[in-house]
Amino acid sequence: MKVVLGVSGGIAAYKACELLRLFTESGHEVRVVPTRDALRFVGEPTWAALSGNPVTTDVWDDVHEVPHVRIGQRADLVVVAPATADVLAKAAHGLAGDLLTNTLLTARCPVVFAPAMHTEMWQHPATRANVSTLRERGSVVIDPAVGRLTGADSGPGRLPDPAEIFQICLRVLAGRPRDLAGRHVVVSAGGTREAIDPVRYLGNRSSGLQGYALARTAVARGARVTLVAANVSLPDPAGADVVRVESAAELREAVLTAATAADVVVMAAAVADFRPAARHDSKIKKSDGEPDPIHLVKNPDILAELGERRHAGGPKPEVIVGFAAETDDVLANGQAKLARKGCDLLVVNQVGPHLAFGTPDNAATVLVAGGEPVEIPRGPKDDVADAVWDQVANLLRHPRTPADT
């Protein structure tokens, strides 16, 4: 695939070197098109050496090859990282004063922007309007990460991790539809922990990989994503707003709050069914006799509560998706859970040694309320996530009525 990497003049330009390496090492042919200001941060020899292709900022260089037209025409993907407020504005308004903006005007392939700027610039109404315009035209504009910026400043505006930008670009290159554009989706991921004392907890084996894949692929398909992450040690998916929680109670509060403004809620997290009735304030010491039993109480059923709130006329996500990890009688247990929870889709998969938890791949069956099961063959978790979003998108296009369920 032919990839154009546009680099604009921000301090995060040096991070684009890592993005370039990821593209070239995966076999893509990359042409770097920096702005003049970008070369103040990373010089032309670096881009040329890393890409193996000539680098220029000027439409007047190599005029006989008509680069201001040909580069965009021949590209399979254009990604601009970092994308400054200036480049976003020029792209939104069709200005073409250098090779990069000319390339953006001539490209008929997918375009991905990874903005990076100070918080005030990102939140300015002009930038928000430009981002909205670009998204309406079909571009993928990844929301920046929250973190340390230039100097002592912190806030939204940081360039997402290059590896996560790369993953978004791979999904776009794979030709996935932008059928979630304009939608707000909430995804839960990871596994909750229920404290016994300050040292110990009840937990589970969920790594969060499948939930993070769902968040990443939703961004690539155009959605605004809120990711509620329970005890996950993974890089934040580029473009997702990440809310970190620990216990089932914290996850419930975060999901229900985000769900009030969501079109879709996907409960991929492994939520503890029980918690200790009492939490010890200090570490429980080992004694010579048998330990005291730990009394458990039920945790709230978040998935069922989402369904009940919708049925009662409360906040209404159009689509509610549950996950069920089963060790035996997978489909039978899944069908019973689908009927009990009041969700639209239930993704069921078998768990066990080297299955589902902590693995890079997965296989699942999507149970549809009032419909036929859909098998998802074993494959990378990003592919499984896309298959789930295919079913969600279908329900968004063709909403079910109470008579269908």
Side-chain angles (χ1 to χ4, degrees):
M1 293 284 192
K2 292 181 171 60
V3 176
V4 174
L5 174 58
V7 185
S8 55
I11 187 65
Y14 75 93
K15 295 183 180 180
C17 295
E18 174 66 10
L19 183 58
L20 171 56
R21 184 188 66 81
L22 290 168
F23 275 118
T24 56
E25 288 189 354
S26 60
H28 296 88
E29 180 184 340
V30 185
R31 177 75 180 261
V32 182
V33 182
T35 65
R36 293 182 184 88
D37 288 338
L39 295 182
R40 293 175 176 264
F41 295 96
V42 180
E44 178 272 334
T46 298
W47 298 122
L50 291 177
S51 68
N53 280 312
V55 174
T56 182
T57 66
D58 202 320
V59 297
W60 298 106
D61 291 338
D62 300 318
V63 174
H64 65 289
E65 295 182 356
V66 202
H68 73 290
V69 173
R70 295 288 181 261
I71 293 175
Q73 285 179 334
R74 294 170 178 169
D76 297 300
L77 173 74
V78 177
V79 53
V80 184
T84 60
D86 179 67
V87 164
L88 291 173
K90 289 174 178 175
H93 292 278
L95 302 180
D98 59 12
L99 189 57
L100 176 56
T101 49
N102 272 271
T103 298
L104 290 169
L105 273 183
T106 57
R108 293 299 178 265
C109 60
V111 178
V112 176
F113 293 93
M117 63 197 74
H118 269 71
T119 301
E120 294 82 0
M121 300 172 73
W122 172 248
Q123 295 177 341
H124 194 282
T127 302
R128 305 309 302 158
N130 292 332
V131 168
S132 179
T133 296
L134 291 169
R135 285 173 172 164
E136 288 172 1
R137 292 176 184 161
S139 296
V140 176
V141 184
I142 303 171
D143 281 358
V146 177
R148 183 71 176 268
L149 306 173
T150 306
D153 294 343
S154 293
R158 182 182 177 88
L159 186 74
D161 185 283
E164 288 300 315
I165 297 173
F166 177 65
Q167 291 299 323
I168 296 290
C169 290
L170 289 184
R171 305 318 296 173
V172 174
L173 274 170
R176 303 310 303 171
R178 286 185 39 77
D179 47 10
L180 298 179
R183 300 288 190 171
H184 177 204
V185 305
V186 176
V187 178
S188 70
T192 60
R193 295 176 180 176
E194 310 301 325
I196 299 172
D197 62 21
V199 177
R200 305 173 181 90
Y201 61 84
L202 299 178
N204 58 67
R205 297 180 182 274
S206 178
S207 64
L209 287 169
Q210 187 63 75
Y212 272 51
L214 283 157
R216 182 187 305 117
T217 53
V219 170
R221 294 172 81 139
R224 178 166 70 91
V225 178
T226 299
L227 174 63
V228 181
N231 308 295
V232 178
S233 300
L234 296 170
D236 291 350
D241 178 19
V242 181
V243 180
R244 301 194 182 280
V245 299
E246 181 171 348
S247 67
E250 292 173 355
L251 188 140
R252 172 185 176 273
E253 180 180 359
V255 167
L256 294 183
T257 298
T260 60
D263 299 293
V264 182
V265 177
V266 180
M267 288 293 298
V271 183
D273 293 324
F274 305 97
R275 69 181 185 276
R279 179 186 184 277
H280 292 260
D281 293 330
S282 57
K283 180 182 176 182
I284 302 171
K285 298 297 184 180
K286 181 168 63 175
S287 62
D288 292 334
E290 291 295 321
D292 292 335
I294 297 174
H295 297 286
L296 302 178
V297 296
K298 282 187 176 181
N299 268 324
D301 190 326
I302 306 168
L303 182 59
E305 189 170 354
L306 285 166
E308 289 166 2
R309 291 200 331 172
R310 184 172 65 174
H311 182 71
K316 294 185 178 181
E318 293 183 46
V319 179
I320 299 174
V321 183
F323 269 67
E326 301 289 346
T327 56
D328 47 37
D329 295 329
V330 175
L331 291 183
N333 287 331
Q335 291 285 7
K337 186 172 184 178
L338 176 65
R340 195 169 63 246
K341 300 292 186 178
C343 52
D344 304 289
L345 302 172
L346 188 74
V347 183
V348 295
N349 54 266
Q350 187 168 15
V351 296
H354 311 297
L355 289 175
F357 287 150
T359 65
D361 60 358
N362 201 359
T365 302
V366 181
L367 303 179
V368 183
E372 294 297 318
V374 177
E375 295 292 336
I376 302 177
R378 182 163 302 281
K381 286 185 173 177
D382 278 9
D383 290 350
V384 174
D386 264 325
V388 173
W389 288 125
D390 287 343
Q391 298 305 311
V392 171
N394 182 59
L395 285 182
L396 290 172
R397 287 191 301 268
H398 308 288
R400 306 184 72 83
T401 65
D404 295 324
T405 60

